[in-house]
Amino acid sequence: MSAQDLENYESDLELQLFREYRDVVSLFTYVIETERRFYLANQVDLQVRSGGGEVFYELRLADVWVWDIYRSNRFVRSVRVVTFKDVNIEELNKQDISLP
């Protein structure tokens, strides 16, 4: 496999991931970004902790979709993240649905 083949393969995976994201984003309430991952979730609990003189964040997510091109199944029941870095949590705006 050449470097170009590998690049094309990864580009295809990223495009598939973006399309999946576009299809599932409306199913979720929150967007969560950490220094390592991007998540969609319906439940979020963020706790600020301290230990050893340092502050860290414990994040618990439920009903989750994980942005990761190498996962075969991106839907996860629950996720626990512990990080010393910033965490960004945004609530998504739900589109108004009008039924005919």
Side-chain angles (χ1 to χ4, degrees), residues 21 25 27-47 57-68 76 78-83 85-92:
Y21 164 81
V25 68
L27 302 173
F28 295 92
T29 305
Y30 299 97
V31 172
I32 302 93
E33 294 176 89
T34 68
E35 79 279 1
R36 298 196 56 174
R37 293 266 195 273
F38 176 89
Y39 305 92
L40 298 172
N42 283 321
Q43 294 179 359
V44 178
D45 178 36
L46 176 66
Q47 300 293 319
Y57 305 96
E58 182 177 5
L59 185 62
R60 292 184 183 267
L61 310 174
D63 190 20
V64 182
W65 182 88
V66 183
W67 180 286
D68 186 341
V76 182
S78 65
V79 173
R80 179 176 174 254
V81 178
V82 177
T83 181
K85 306 283 184 169
D86 290 340
V87 174
N88 183 46
I89 301 169
E90 297 178 22
E91 187 171 355
L92 294 167

Side-chain angles (χ1 to χ4, degrees), residues 14-33:
E14 287 177 9
L15 181 58
Q16 289 172 17
L17 181 64
F18 174 75
R19 287 178 176 155
E20 182 177 325
Y21 164 81
R22 186 186 59 203
D23 292 343
V24 302
V25 68
S26 65
L27 302 173
F28 295 92
T29 305
Y30 299 97
V31 172
I32 302 93
E33 294 176 89

